[in-house]
Amino acid sequence: MSPTPFGAPMRQQFLLDPNYRNLNHGSFGTYPHPLLATQQAYQRLAESSPDEFLRYTQPTALLTARHALASLLNCPAKDLVTVKNATTGVATVLHNLAPHFAAGDTLIYFSTIYGAVENGLFSLLEHLPAPNLRLRKIEYAFPITQTELVQRFREVVREVRAEGCTPKIAVLETVVSVPGVRFPFEEIIRVCRAEGVWSLVDAAHGVGMIELDLGTPLPDKGQDGLELGPERLGKVGGVDFLTSNCHKWLYTPRSAALLYVNPSLQHLIRTTLPTSWGYIPPPSETPAKPSLMASAGRKTAFEALFEFVATADDTPYLCVPAALKFREEVCGGEGAVYAYLEELVNEGADLVANGLGTEVLGEGDAAGKEKGRSAWRRCAMNNVRLPVRVVQKVGGEENAPGLTAELVPAVVDWMQRRLVEDYRTFVPVFAHAGWLWVRLSAQVYLDRSDFEWLVPVLKELVGRVKEEFKLGKVSHL
């Protein structure tokens, strides 16, 4: 089978409405026709003989899926299990670690954390004795270089120690959700390893978008900057915990995600969310009830823990081999997908920024550049500034529309609704560093013409915002 050309020809492989341009693959993903057929085949099989499927067929198919993911990520299948989504993966890890936190332990995270994950941190604190965990957020905004951010993290780790506390765990991303930039996760993980800090990676935007290699560690090095060549990107052997969605970029149905736990720490993971049949009680307590799954006894306790988590439709997990087959046979392989997505979104972002007379976020970081490309932009999402400034007060006499900060939520909601209803597309609109921005996602069913089409749409939309909300004038400066 010859691969299908990317762009318009590939669009026929997907379930998208022909009149809808999906420029926001990053939020919820979507999948091609063969994956729908695969999932429906499993669902029909489940309904034809539910007990046979759930007790015997599904565990075997799930093991096959886990081995396929493990091969992609270069790690043993026994260290990798399935969860519903990356938010669940992060929450599962933290819930299990909670009993091991002690007075003065500190969780370090970044201001670009996914909102639901940060809410999970706040909820975690509610269920812990007050001294047993502190949160330390590292604030940052653009312009900033990745080297500067890594150094800021290193300094915070040492500040926490100087305060007499323990930097216990760091929560970080592979590709940030908003703004959509590639995070220097390889370097942060390396600092964690050197400083004795657990690393918990929210790779919601990870598998299927960028290479992730859990078996090859980055070599140890000093503290003199971040300069990762292409051959070293994505190498995260030695990471402690990592969770990544499969339904965003790998083309499985929703919802399906993986959770990797370093074998040295698997003994700390004793329950799923919700607690189910694989629960591992403390050694001093009554043994757990036998699992519903006949195959549980042939797996490690960590594997069996996640094999059956309450009754749910787990068929999306089973679609991983079909997704990988589609990517290999129809798309031409993982490398071809990664390269096309990165090249297209960078070309598209430059095109849109030029059309609007603005800029692409993160362009100021020269470290890690390849082909003149900022390290922040080496992924499948980029961000373009809209000519709409966010101000504390409307004023000035220049030509850029401006809005006060309290108007931002209403304006963002209005713009996003108009994009869907009036233009049959969607791009997230968000405020950052005093401006409104849009996040663009590339995908194999898009090409340059889709981003060319977006330019007049955004221009018109900005004009409509100015009129709808009677925005004042403020300076670009």
Side-chain angles (χ1 to χ4, degrees):
M1 177 186 296
S2 299
T4 299
F6 293 148
M10 184 64 78
R11 188 181 177 93
Q12 307 307 312
Q13 296 280 355
F14 285 77
L15 300 162
L16 295 164
D17 180 342
N19 297 315
Y20 185 82
R21 294 183 192 247
N22 192 30
L23 297 171
N24 183 38
H25 187 98
S27 281
F28 304 110
T30 192
Y31 53 93
H33 290 283
L35 269 293
L36 177 62
T38 298
Q39 183 183 29
Q40 290 180 338
Y42 277 123
Q43 290 171 329
R44 284 193 295 269
L45 196 58
E47 300 317 310
S48 68
S49 52
D51 275 283
E52 180 182 21
F53 181 83
L54 290 168
R55 294 175 186 271
Y56 307 111
T57 305
Q58 180 168 283
T60 300
L62 182 60
L63 182 61
T64 300
R66 288 176 43 235
H67 274 278
L69 280 173
S71 178
L72 175 67
L73 297 172
N74 188 29
C75 69
K78 65 181 177 60
D79 300 333
L80 183 153
V81 293
T82 50
V83 292
K84 284 300 179 185
N85 50 55
T87 303
T88 301
V90 172
T92 300
V93 170
L94 293 176
H95 182 80
N96 279 277
L97 296 182
H100 303 277
F101 293 135
D105 282 353
T106 302
L107 183 153
I108 303 172
Y109 70 104
F110 297 82
S111 58
T112 48
I113 190 172
Y114 186 57
V117 172
E118 185 173 31
N119 287 342
L121 302 185
F122 299 152
S123 177
L124 179 68
L125 288 187
E126 292 180 23
H127 295 86
L128 287 174
N132 279 20
L133 187 67
R134 306 189 316 160
L135 300 182
R136 183 70 171 270
K137 182 194 289 192
I138 299 177
E139 299 280 355
Y140 74 101
F142 290 86
I144 187 173
T145 69
Q146 291 198 342
T147 301
E148 289 169 343
L149 185 60
V150 172
Q151 183 59 27
R152 190 172 299 181
F153 174 74
R154 184 181 285 110
E155 290 169 356
V156 168
V157 168
R158 294 175 181 177
E159 286 172 8
V160 169
R161 286 207 174 96
E163 294 163 2
C165 296
T166 303
K168 190 71 173 179
I169 185 168
V171 177
L172 58 143
E173 295 76 41
T174 46
V175 175
V176 175
S177 178
V178 176
V181 293
R182 181 173 180 135
F183 197 77
F185 61 94
E186 301 96 338
E187 278 293 310
I188 299 291
I189 292 169
R190 178 155 51 188
V191 174
C192 286
R193 202 167 62 222
E195 296 285 349
V197 179
W198 286 336
S199 52
L200 169 52
V201 181
D202 174 7
H205 300 280
V207 63
M209 186 214 275
I210 59 176
E211 180 183 3
L212 287 176
D213 182 341
L214 301 180
T216 306
L218 284 167
D220 292 331
K221 75 169 193 177
Q223 303 174 8
D224 51 352
L226 179 150
E227 294 182 4
L228 295 179
E231 74 285 353
R232 295 164 66 187
L233 291 174
K235 307 296 190 293
V236 292
V239 66
D240 294 309
F241 310 96
L242 183 144
T243 181
S244 185
N245 290 322
C246 300
H247 58 260
K248 283 187 184 286
W249 299 93
L250 199 67
Y251 310 153
T252 72
R254 289 176 293 273
S255 61
L258 62 93
L259 172 63
Y260 168 86
V261 177
N262 193 296
S264 66
L265 296 173
Q266 288 175 12
H267 66 283
L268 300 178
I269 308 299
R270 299 192 296 103
T271 184
T272 54
L273 291 179
T275 298
S276 195
W277 288 96
Y279 171 66
I280 306 167
S284 60
E285 295 187 6
T286 304
K289 295 181 180 299
S291 173
L292 284 178
M293 302 296 105
S295 62
R298 300 192 294 274
K299 297 181 174 68
T300 67
F302 174 67
E303 292 175 284
L305 175 62
F306 290 87
E307 188 170 57
F308 185 87
V309 181
T311 301
D313 183 358
D314 289 342
T315 56
Y317 300 149
L318 313 184
C319 295
V320 166
L324 291 172
K325 179 180 179 182
F326 178 87
R327 293 165 69 85
E328 181 64 32
E329 296 181 355
V330 181
C331 299
E334 293 297 312
V337 173
Y338 304 153
Y340 182 78
L341 298 189
E342 182 179 332
E343 191 63 34
L344 176 61
V345 81
N346 277 271
E347 180 184 8
D350 288 339
L351 188 158
V352 174
N354 289 336
L356 296 177
T358 62
E359 63 182 318
V360 181
L361 189 73
E363 220 8 74
D365 188 0
K369 275 194 173 184
E370 181 189 8
K371 300 178 182 177
R373 183 168 301 153
S374 164
W376 295 109
R377 297 180 60 183
R378 295 171 71 171
C379 59
M381 298 193 297
N382 271 198
N383 315 271
V384 174
R385 180 169 63 80
L386 295 176
V388 181
R389 194 167 189 175
V390 179
V391 295
Q392 296 305 312
K393 281 188 177 181
V394 176
E397 298 179 354
E398 299 296 332
N399 295 321
L403 67 151
T404 54
E406 61 267 22
L407 267 181
V408 167
V411 170
V412 166
D413 179 66
W414 185 88
M415 293 179 74
Q416 293 183 158
R417 285 178 180 271
R418 297 282 66 75
L419 283 165
V420 171
E421 295 174 9
D422 299 347
Y423 303 102
R424 300 300 297 147
T425 191
F426 191 92
V427 289
V429 181
F430 62 96
H432 183 80
W435 295 90
L436 288 188
W437 301 75
V438 290
R439 188 190 75 183
L440 309 177
S441 294
Q443 198 39 261
V444 294
Y445 49 72
L446 299 173
D447 57 31
R448 177 188 173 93
S449 67
D450 294 296
F451 296 95
E452 292 173 335
W453 170 87
L454 184 62
V455 173
V457 167
L458 293 177
K459 284 184 174 180
E460 182 176 85
L461 189 61
V462 167
R464 292 176 64 186
V465 165
K466 172 185 170 183
E467 186 172 334
E468 178 76 16
F469 290 87
K470 298 180 173 56
L471 301 182
K473 306 289 187 180
V474 299
S475 172
H476 273 284
L477 301 176

